[in-house]
Amino acid sequence: MAAVVLVGTQWGDEGKGKITDLLSQDFDYVVRFQGGNNAGHTVIHDGHTLKLHLIPSGVMYESVTPVIGNGCVIDPKVLLAEIDAVQSEGISCERLTISSNAHLIMPYHRDLDGASERRLGAQEIGTTRRGIGPAYQDKATRLGLRTQDLFDRSIFREKVAAALTEKNDILDKIYGLPTYTVDQLADEYLAYAEILNPYVADTAPLLNDALDAGQWVFFEGAQGTLLDLDHGTYPFVTSSNPTAGGACVGTGVGPARIDRVLGIAKAYITRVGSGPFPTELDTDDADGDTFIRVGHEYGTTTGRRRRPGWYDAPVVRYAVQVNGLTDLAITKLDVLSAFDEIKVCVAYEHLGQTYTSVPGHQSAFHHARPIYETLPGWKTDISACRDFNDLPPAARDYIAYLEELAGVPVSLIAVGPQREQTIIRNWERR
Ligand code: GDP
Ligand code: IMO
Ligand code: MG
């Protein structure tokens, strides 16, 4: 099992950080392949809670080299603050390796993210306003700056000047916002360059050589399948590819090298930001309130209250397909202990048609009416269970039902936020 890709199967915040932290102890490299500091991955280490935004969740282990791949966008200011925060917990970031091809988030990207959201008004996407979309936009239009540009002062100034001719016009003339000078951005970013220099490397050969040498590489996805730019609920998506194919593009490792694709699914669903969500519960719904209260469902990055809903099998079935999932990890099963009865959306109905996966047309998904099955709850604390057979029969039946609906096995089950609060059913350790 040399190369494993982990992806979110829903709308993010499935518990990817916790599962990555647990599994990555056996790996030599843990690689982020897309996204930026829109991600918020929670890892609990020696009783301390770390909220990681850019640094891969394997950073806790001395044997792991954490890598930020070429598919990521990096805000150097945020990254340096995160390195400080992690090191202040006594965890070394010395091995952190950053792709020289990763794109940089510039201050005008943050400004434009906020400004474009304000302009959209009621139609806003609900972005994290971290400048993610505008940075990927510049990557695609070839106006972006990459980490390697930081190490050549004249190239950096030249590229900033080229970008500013357009950005300053947009900032000033469209949004009435302050503009930037080349000196201002060069002063700020070239100071970051000195600190970042030891971390930057050509990471595609590094990872391929590692795989050639029999080492293990773990690809840690951010966001989730339904937030994918191509496969998600466009336009209410992020600007990168959190699906499994993104791991190849975002690192330079070919698809034939991937051995296993693990999808993380929360035992219910949450979403932050706007966009369709068939099983969403109203803000005054008692069950929704229980998900928020018991599951502590507030955004790791923005602190926003997450939108809650019951488990949606068509969404996960869709994620199985577009990611080529080999197995699932179900997280937060312990949160369901609060309910007398548990609902599972097994299909949708729209205009007399039944859908068992995500409908191809956006209108059908927007108006999809969930069809629920109701299962008995177990009403017992399961947070100390470490073996599948320790779970009450109703919880085992629930997992078996999710397996049947998804068509892939559930290999891991998380029953609490701590690393060891996990039932491992089928996972090769080293
Ligand atoms: P990520 O973005 O996918 O890494 O997920 P987040 O860290 O944003 O959100 C998941 C939250 O659930 C975090 O606060 C985790 O500590 C917590 N968590 C993860 N797994 C479990 C679990 O099995 N049970 C409970 N109760 N909490 C969990
Ligand atoms: P993790 O890795 C949940 C959502 C935002 C918004 C949309 C676009 O912690 O699961 P962006 O700032 O990316 O342009 O916002 O995507 N979003 C997330 N939602 N978890 C995340 O990451 C997210 N990253 C972005 O709320 O709806
Ligand atoms: Mg998160």
Side-chain angles (χ1 to χ4, degrees), residues 11-17 38-42 52-53 222-223 272 298-301 306:
W11 278 282
D13 303 324
E14 298 91 348
K16 298 178 293 293
N38 47 350
H41 296 180
T42 314
L52 298 169
H53 302 286
Q223 288 82 50
V272 224
Y298 293 92
T300 308
T301 298
R306 294 170 176 158

Side-chain angles (χ1 to χ4, degrees), residues 7 39 51 85 101 163 172 190 219 259 290 316 326 387 391:
V7 293
K51 293 179 187 296
N101 286 343
D172 179 38
L190 295 173
F219 299 83
D259 299 295
T290 305
V316 175
T326 52
D387 189 277
L391 289 172

Side-chain angles (χ1 to χ4, degrees), residues 12 15 23 84 89 99 114 128 216 251 253 256 261 363 398 405 417:
L23 299 178
D84 279 349
E89 294 283 337
S99 166
T128 58
W216 286 19
T251 60
V253 170
V261 185
S363 301
Y398 177 74
L405 290 166

Side-chain angles (χ1 to χ4, degrees), residues 287-365:
D287 290 342
D289 197 55
T290 305
F291 284 132
I292 302 293
R293 210 169 18 83
V294 181
H296 306 290
E297 295 294 355
Y298 293 92
T300 308
T301 298
T302 56
R304 289 178 286 178
R305 182 189 195 267
R306 294 170 176 158
R307 299 159 59 193
W310 290 106
Y311 186 88
D312 184 327
V315 159
V316 175
R317 197 181 281 118
Y318 176 74
V320 168
Q321 189 168 67
V322 297
N323 293 292
L325 297 186
T326 52
D327 33 13
L328 280 173
I330 300 293
T331 59
K332 298 195 127 173
L333 189 67
D334 53 303
V335 174
L336 296 189
S337 302
F339 294 93
D340 291 324
E341 287 184 328
I342 294 163
K343 284 192 188 178
V344 176
C345 165
V346 294
Y348 315 127
E349 191 275 331
H350 177 62
L351 296 178
Q353 208 177 320
T354 305
Y355 297 87
T356 54
S357 183
V358 172
H361 199 280
Q362 58 193 0
S363 301
F365 196 54

